[in-house]
Amino acid sequence: MKDDKHPSTRGARSALLRSLWSRSRNEARADAEAGRAITMPVLSVVPPLQQVLKRLSMALLVLVVTVLIVYLDRDGFTDSVDGRVDLLDAAYYATVTLSTTGYGDIAPVSEAARLTNIFVITPLRVLFLIILVGTTLEVLTERTRQQVRIHRWRARTRDHVVVIGYGTKGRHAVETLIGQGVGKDRIVVVDAQRKMAEAASDDGLVAVTGDATRSETLLKAEIHRATRVIIAPQRDETATLITLTARQLNKHATIVAAVREDENVPLLKQSGADTVVTSSSSAGRLLGTFMASPPVARTLEDLMTLGSGMDLIERPVTPEEVGRTPRECADLVLAVVRDKKMLDYPDGWRTELRTGDRVITVSRPVAS
């Protein structure tokens, strides 16, 4: 009920209904181009044999209903052979009528029987034919259904996360986001390779296939409405171009980029990235920590992997914690964030928590 009251939801719904009735040339072209690039999450697919059996059952049900209607009104029909209609004749008439064969040896003669044929038998005949050619109709309507899904997604998507690159870094970033409570419907993946986009779709995510250095590709991912952007391509120069394009399209989103070499960090920040993570130096520091103290390194790895043991999370201060020091919290508090600034360890450890503060804590995942 809350969604129906939200102005953006009502606007998206009215736009969808309007698009089903009429669309401008530009809207039709935009939807067609989006349909070629956007891969929606795979819905549950019914196996072919089950589809055939389901349609066969529906066809038999329509046939049985028609037989009963004809048999109950058998006095209004005449048979050219013996003049009367029994149950077998009713089944015979229903079969040849629904299949549009119509030999004419059994025909309605009374007004009631003819009205029944007009308003009941004829719709059943149409329904019977629709069921028989359901596979063909499904192929014809699949394209329209896909366009409707894409149009509805584009109208509703906002304040989401765009993940550019679905390789090892991008995939683990998505897993971490989901582990932190971000819904799959609020994550959009962009990758230049079709197989990566299909892999994201198989994981329940909306994916856009295309060159992320081009504005039209990022616009298909609705990046201008996103609040966070993760850039994790394979090459540093590609990350720089993507960051420039993303920042140009969205001035307010938080952009986090990954690069291999430390020397490219200043360039990424000048291009508009808020945070730059260097994968090679991070891996090197972890390797060195493993050599110096394997337990410490395993603890760090555990903290960075949600659900594996101890989780490093950021959460708001609870009403019960307001007025207390971080030491008095139930969770182990590592840092305090106040007004979007992290307090130094000595100051944060001694300060009293306020309403609106956020704390970075170490907690164990709750068993489901």
Side-chain angles (χ1 to χ4, degrees), residues 106-247:
I106 299 178
V109 292
S110 67
E111 292 184 356
R114 291 179 177 179
L115 288 174
T116 301
N117 265 265
I118 294 173
F119 295 108
V120 180
I121 303 298
T122 298
L124 288 175
R125 181 187 301 118
V126 174
L127 178 61
F128 186 80
L129 293 176
I130 290 176
I131 293 173
L132 290 182
V133 298
T135 302
T136 302
L137 291 177
E138 183 176 359
V139 172
L140 294 176
T141 58
E142 179 63 27
R143 183 176 180 180
T144 301
R145 187 187 302 117
Q146 184 72 1
Q147 288 186 353
V148 169
R149 289 186 67 199
I150 292 176
H151 187 89
R152 180 172 56 186
W153 172 80
R154 296 180 66 191
R156 293 181 176 181
T157 300
R158 52 181 44 83
D159 299 333
H160 56 292
V161 184
V162 177
V163 179
I164 302 174
Y166 203 60
T168 302
K169 292 177 289 188
R171 188 177 293 107
H172 281 84
V174 169
E175 292 177 357
T176 302
L177 289 172
I178 296 174
Q180 292 177 342
V182 180
K184 291 184 177 181
D185 57 335
R186 296 186 57 231
I187 301 176
V188 182
V189 172
V190 180
D191 201 289
Q193 300 183 33
R194 169 63 65 175
K195 64 177 182 179
M196 291 299 183
E198 293 176 350
S201 175
D202 293 339
D203 292 336
L205 306 171
V206 176
V208 177
T209 304
D211 184 2
T213 62
R214 302 177 64 87
S215 299
E216 54 265 28
T217 301
L218 296 182
L219 288 175
K220 291 174 184 176
E222 302 295 324
I223 195 172
H224 53 289
R225 297 178 178 177
T227 56
R228 288 172 287 179
V229 180
I230 297 176
I231 300 176
Q234 299 295 328
R235 301 173 62 88
D236 289 3
E237 56 269 26
T238 304
T240 303
L241 293 175
I242 295 174
T243 303
L244 283 169
T245 306
R247 182 54 74 195

Side-chain angles (χ1 to χ4, degrees), residues 23 38 53 126 146 179 182 211 227 260 274 276 280 282 286 292 295-296 302-303 316 333 348 359 361:
R23 287 185 296 177
I38 298 176
L53 293 177
V126 174
Q146 184 72 1
V182 180
D211 184 2
T227 56
R260 293 179 180 271
D274 297 286
V276 181
S280 57
S282 299
L286 191 58
V296 172
D302 190 15
L303 289 173
V333 177
V359 291
T361 67

